[in-house]
Amino acid sequence: MSPAELLVVDDLSVTYALPRGRQLIAVANVSFTVHKGETLGLVGESGCGKSTISRAIMQLPPPTGGAVVFEGRNLAHLDTAALRRARTRLHMIFQDPISSLNPHRKVRDIVAEPLAIAGMGDAEDRKRRVRAALENVGLDPDQVMDRRPHEFSGGQCQRIAIARALVTEPQLVICDEPVSALDVSVRAQILNFLEDMKAHYHLTLLFISHDLAVVKNISDRVAVMYLGRLCELAPSARLYEAPLHPYTAALMAAIPVMDPDRCRSPSHLLAGELPSPMNPPSGCRFRTRCPRATPHCAAHEPEWRETEAGHFVACHFPLVAPQGATISPARQP
Amino acid sequence: MMDAGLPLLEVTDLATHFHTQRGLLRAVDGVSFSVRRGQTLGIVGESGSGKSALARTIIRILSKRHTTTTGRITFEGRDLLTVSEPDMRDIRGRDIAMVFQDPTSSLNPVKQVGVQIEEVLARHLGLRGRAAQTRAIELLTSVGMPLPQERLHQYPHQLSGGMRQRVAIAIALACEPKLLIADEPTTALDVTIQAQILDLLHRRQKAHHMAMILISHDLGVVAGYTDTVAVMYAGQIVEQASTRSLFRNCRMPYTAALMRSAPNLSDPPHTRLRAITGRPPDMVLPPPGCRFEPRCDDATDICRNRRPALSASDADGTHRYACWHPVASPGASA
Ligand SMILES: Nc1ncnc2c1ncn2[C@@H]1O[C@H](COP(=O)(O)OP(=O)(O)OP(=O)(O)O)[C@@H](O)[C@H]1O
Ligand SMILES: Nc1ncnc2c1ncn2[C@@H]1O[C@H](COP(=O)(O)OP(=O)(O)O)[C@@H](O)[C@H]1O
Ligand code: SF4
Ligand code: SF4
Ligand SMILES: [Mg+2]
Ligand SMILES: [Mg+2]
């Protein structure tokens, strides 16, 4: 493992046990690396397993298969104390800013909690760190410390959650849909702000979202997921210029754009519903909705392969980019 | 069309104020617009701007005890604010139908899908038995429901979010309403399903010459599926225009700021977003002048003190904005 590889997710699988002995394979054989200082975006529709991956990385609960290697150590092999220490360097921000904060506690205690759990610093030192973290997220410590979450807007709660994630000065922050519950104007504030925090704290981010435009804006590289598996991973600009996986192209075509003259032909629409993860299609999981599917796709699962430096795809018939693209992103007229 | 000249729905100076512990909350505060048959009006605005309150006022589903509504809502020549409750019950569902953001709230969790559709058909059209069942299957087919026949006997929780919304739309369209109000119909859905549902609504609307009010916080959704747009901010309409004119030629700084603040797929990664500072005002104590003034880069003293009225930007008066210092119009001819 090179020093640039801060987090390595290797062949990760997560299976949930359901009533009556049934099993749900929420994440299957997912591998990716997060390099120090980068933002890796992870996109996909709801239920595809994004949150399951982020929880598995945090070991909440640990994955049922594969390894999570953070700063060179397999997190599954750490004892409780070592894991607790690792968690001060690896933090998570959740989607719902309001319900992810304990409603009964004051902001000062919410933000200080990671320090308390990790046993970092004495009372004075903690207080100083909490104030600094709140100031850094643009909140006035004197005004907010003694208030409770319900007294704040969604955007402010997300800032508090970010202050809490940053108070131990972690290396890696996993942001699980951090702006999905926010309005466009507040969303832009928080996205800019995450970029500032990243520079200020020299952070590495794993940024999860179902919104491709948001992910493109913040990420250096982007991974696309469908029904528990990775479809494609590429540098952000490259992925949007020349998607190889039909699902990536379809996701892009479905994004509403602010152009009343854009032709809206139903041929861009991806047909069908997401299949149930309880009973995923054989072969390629996307084949039931894929315009390029052939019988081969039903019989064989496509391999994860690198088609050019840093561009990975799992598809038997990737789109030939850019000229012959059958499903080109809809932005082109 | 019979009365192509007259709007189907005309809302005049409508205000809906909620009585809250902190005082009167002006959720809708002097709103006027009209919708013609066969047309889609988009209403955009951030959370809390009053979009849902406006929709709920039009179909009169707000509790009378805690709200005061003033103004006029003329639908086919009748003022909906004064028709009797039984008459309103007939209008609701038959002439005006609504689709909500969260289909689980409008569907009954303990009734089979088929039963729920057939109830509406019986109530408003007198259809029962075989005829109702056949019609229910037709409706489910028309909204793109996979395996419609089998769905009749399923309960809402057995369906995906997208399928539940299809059922809600099938129920809303059951009586071929003249006006459909869709309040964020796709906000809870994934983008690929959102595209399917919006396309479906658009096609049904064209086929039946139905009028539609499409409420969304997403300017992209509104751009693609509406004829005219009203932008709401803090309970008021701050700009309204034909969809093309709004997106090509917006005049109100808030509309412009909203358009700029969304990340654009054609920008390279790490492009800094042009965020709007602050957040919308408290609607119990809105600013006395322009309600956007605390967040507006172009604000001056007059903005703080006097509320700008909606004024026309073009010769025929269809593009209107409320602002003392409008954004320069590139195609200024008026
Ligand atoms: N029943 C009610 N009683 C008191 N206040 C209410 C009630 N319903 C809505 N409000 C308030 O009225 C204002 C407008 O709310 P509304 O639900 O219409 O916003 P919206 O534009 O639909 O927002 P969103 O995009 O979040 O759906 C808000 O300040 C809201 O808190
Ligand atoms: N605790 C759980 N028990 C059983 N199934 C779960 C649990 N959490 C998630 N799932 C299922 O696992 C799949 C992936 O879920 P999730 O990771 O939350 O997706 P995403 O974050 O991409 O929306 C879904 O089918 C979901 O219903
Ligand atoms: S493997 Fe086949 S079904 Fe899967 S995405 Fe590629 S072409 Fe489509
Ligand atoms: S009236 Fe003044 S404060 Fe309001 S939008 Fe126009 S310039 Fe800005
Ligand atoms: Mg999730
Ligand atoms: Mg609403």
Side-chain angles (χ1 to χ4, degrees):
Chain A
M1 177 165 149
S2 84
E5 295 177 339
L6 185 62
L7 176 77
V8 178
V9 169
D10 184 24
D11 204 28
L12 186 86
S13 297
V14 179
T15 305
Y16 293 112
L18 299 181
R20 282 176 271 136
R22 291 179 307 164
Q23 287 200 328
L24 186 152
I25 303 176
V27 172
N29 312 99
V30 164
S31 301
F32 59 82
T33 300
V34 187
H35 302 286
K36 205 166 166 45
E38 80 167 338
T39 298
L40 177 72
L42 181 60
V43 272
E45 295 179 274
S46 79
C48 73
K50 305 179 297 295
S51 299
T52 300
I53 290 184
S54 55
R55 287 193 300 264
I57 293 171
M58 298 296 293
Q59 309 287 306
L60 298 166
T64 38
V68 176
V69 180
F70 176 64
E71 296 186 313
R73 284 177 302 173
N74 185 331
L75 294 183
H77 298 162
L78 299 185
D79 60 30
T80 324
L83 187 59
R84 197 182 299 146
R85 273 196 305 279
R87 284 209 186 111
T88 64
R89 306 177 58 76
L90 171 65
H91 253 289
M92 188 157 163
I93 301 170
F94 297 91
Q95 166 163 0
D96 186 344
I98 294 169
S99 70
S100 72
L101 302 176
N102 185 333
H104 304 297
R105 307 195 67 187
K106 290 181 179 168
V107 169
R108 64 163 77 238
D109 300 320
I110 290 172
V111 176
E113 192 179 73
L115 295 170
I117 292 175
M120 280 170 86
D122 55 25
E124 260 324 292
D125 181 52
R126 281 182 202 169
K127 206 165 155 189
R128 198 176 43 72
R129 282 174 185 260
V130 168
R131 293 188 69 91
L134 286 170
E135 261 162 29
N136 286 337
V137 300
L139 296 170
D140 178 350
D142 295 316
Q143 276 190 31
V144 304
M145 292 241 274
D146 292 309
R147 291 159 72 187
R148 288 170 224 272
H150 70 264
E151 297 173 55
F152 296 94
S153 70
Q156 287 172 316
C157 284
Q158 204 52 293
R159 283 173 192 260
I160 295 167
I162 294 170
R164 174 187 151 91
L166 297 181
V167 73
T168 58
E169 307 204 358
Q171 291 293 304
L172 176 71
V173 179
I174 302 175
C175 310
D176 190 358
E177 309 248 15
V179 296
S180 303
L182 306 176
D183 258 313
V184 266
S185 71
V186 182
R187 180 179 303 176
Q189 290 169 17
I190 296 289
L191 287 171
N192 282 344
F193 171 70
L194 275 171
E195 294 271 30
D196 295 343
M197 290 298 106
K198 193 184 155 202
H200 185 270
Y201 286 95
H202 305 288
L203 293 176
T204 303
L205 301 181
L206 175 59
F207 187 97
I208 297 175
S209 174
H210 64 275
D211 185 329
L212 268 99
V214 164
V215 164
K216 179 184 181 185
N217 180 269
I218 200 159
S219 308
D220 300 295
R221 295 188 304 141
V222 174
V224 182
M225 271 189 93
Y226 186 79
L227 220 61
R229 284 183 189 273
L230 287 188
C231 303
E232 186 165 7
L233 192 160
S236 180
R238 188 75 194 136
L239 185 83
Y240 290 82
E241 258 161 43
L244 292 178
H245 199 285
Y247 178 60
T248 312
L251 265 187
M252 278 188 219
I255 298 178
V257 292
M258 274 187 250
D259 180 358
D261 292 326
R262 177 189 145 186
C263 82
R264 208 176 346 92
S265 95
S267 66
H268 292 131
L269 295 183
L270 199 55
E273 293 273 335
L274 258 102
S276 157
M278 301 270 302
N279 188 12
S282 65
C284 173
R285 293 190 172 194
F286 184 54
R287 71 173 165 83
T288 52
R289 302 173 80 197
C290 180
R292 296 166 78 86
T294 70
H296 185 73
C297 305
H300 305 276
E301 188 165 331
E303 256 173 54
W304 182 241
R305 60 200 166 97
E306 192 167 11
T307 55
E308 60 181 54
H311 198 155
F312 298 82
V313 69
C315 171
H316 295 303
F317 308 107
L319 301 165
V320 193
Q323 63 287 63
T326 1
I327 322 175
S328 62
R331 315 203 87 257
Q332 268 92 42
Chain B
M1 283 302 108
M2 237 169 42
D3 47 356
L6 277 181
L8 176 70
L9 175 78
E10 186 153 26
V11 169
T12 317
D13 207 20
L14 188 69
T16 297
H17 296 176
F18 294 113
H19 306 269
T20 71
Q21 291 186 340
R22 296 191 305 124
L24 265 198
L25 190 149
R26 299 156 194 275
V28 179
D29 209 17
V31 162
S32 303
F33 62 84
S34 61
V35 192
R36 294 176 185 284
R37 291 173 201 276
Q39 270 212 328
T40 300
L41 164 73
I43 298 184
V44 271
E46 291 180 75
S47 182
S49 58
K51 307 180 297 294
S52 300
L54 173 61
R56 287 159 194 268
T57 305
I58 295 172
I59 59 165
R60 276 195 20 199
I61 52 171
L62 289 169
S63 123
K64 272 224 173 78
R65 276 185 26 170
H66 301 108
T67 41
T68 308
T69 303
T70 55
R72 263 199 327 276
I73 305 173
T74 315
F75 179 77
E76 295 195 299
R78 298 161 83 186
D79 185 352
L80 295 186
L81 288 181
T82 57
V83 301
S84 70
E85 195 46 49
D87 284 357
M88 195 62 212
R89 273 201 293 274
D90 285 341
I91 293 173
R92 220 185 280 131
R94 190 192 61 200
D95 297 321
I96 306 180
M98 184 148 170
V99 175
F100 297 87
Q101 168 170 346
D102 176 10
T104 38
S105 66
S106 58
L107 297 176
N108 186 332
V110 299
K111 277 189 188 162
Q112 293 175 358
V113 164
V115 174
Q116 299 193 48
I117 301 177
E118 286 162 33
E119 273 176 4
V120 179
L121 295 171
R123 159 130 184 58
H124 292 294
L125 304 178
L127 277 185
R128 275 167 235 281
R130 263 244 104 78
Q133 201 179 70
T134 311
R135 180 77 185 122
I137 294 172
E138 272 171 30
L139 282 165
L140 286 176
T141 310
S142 76
V143 296
M145 179 69 99
L147 307 173
Q149 209 131 3
E150 291 166 34
R151 305 295 171 196
L152 292 181
H153 306 293
Q154 288 189 320
Y155 292 91
H157 74 265
Q158 296 173 303
L159 306 175
S160 71
M163 288 199 264
R164 281 199 287 266
Q165 196 59 292
R166 284 181 208 275
V167 174
I169 292 170
I171 292 174
L173 297 179
C175 305
E176 304 197 351
K178 293 168 185 153
L179 172 67
L180 179 70
I181 304 179
D183 187 0
E184 310 243 14
T186 57
T187 303
L189 306 177
D190 280 312
V191 278
T192 62
I193 309 295
Q194 160 165 291
Q196 293 172 1
I197 299 277
L198 290 172
D199 187 67
L200 163 74
L201 284 174
H202 185 71
R203 278 185 292 112
R204 307 299 301 162
Q205 187 240 334
K206 288 289 168 239
H208 293 280
H209 207 64
M210 176 176 82
M212 181 155 88
I213 298 179
L214 178 63
I215 297 177
S216 179
H217 65 273
D218 185 335
L219 282 159
V221 165
V222 164
Y225 293 91
T226 62
D227 301 298
T228 58
V229 180
V231 180
M232 274 189 91
Y233 188 76
Q236 300 174 340
I237 291 179
V238 294
E239 182 156 16
Q240 63 192 144
S242 74
T243 306
R244 175 157 302 114
S245 185
L246 188 90
F247 283 92
R248 293 274 173 272
N249 206 2
C250 86
R251 308 298 311 275
M252 162 77 188
Y254 174 66
T255 314
L258 208 54
M259 287 182 187
R260 281 196 305 260
S261 66
N264 192 331
L265 255 198
S266 53
D267 289 339
H270 306 296
T271 301
R272 196 154 181 93
L273 298 171
R274 296 170 69 180
I276 309 175
T277 52
R279 56 185 174 120
D282 178 358
M283 309 249 273
V284 174
L285 277 169
C290 170
R291 293 191 176 171
F292 186 53
E293 180 273 324
R295 306 172 79 188
C296 183
D297 291 336
D298 305 329
T300 62
D301 280 344
I302 187 170
C303 310
R304 254 181 296 286
N305 303 320
R306 290 179 51 203
R307 176 180 156 187
L310 268 180
S311 51
S313 147
D314 52 359
D316 61 359
T318 52
H319 191 144
R320 309 201 300 151
Y321 60 85
C323 177
W324 294 115
H325 312 297
V327 179
S329 152
S333 57

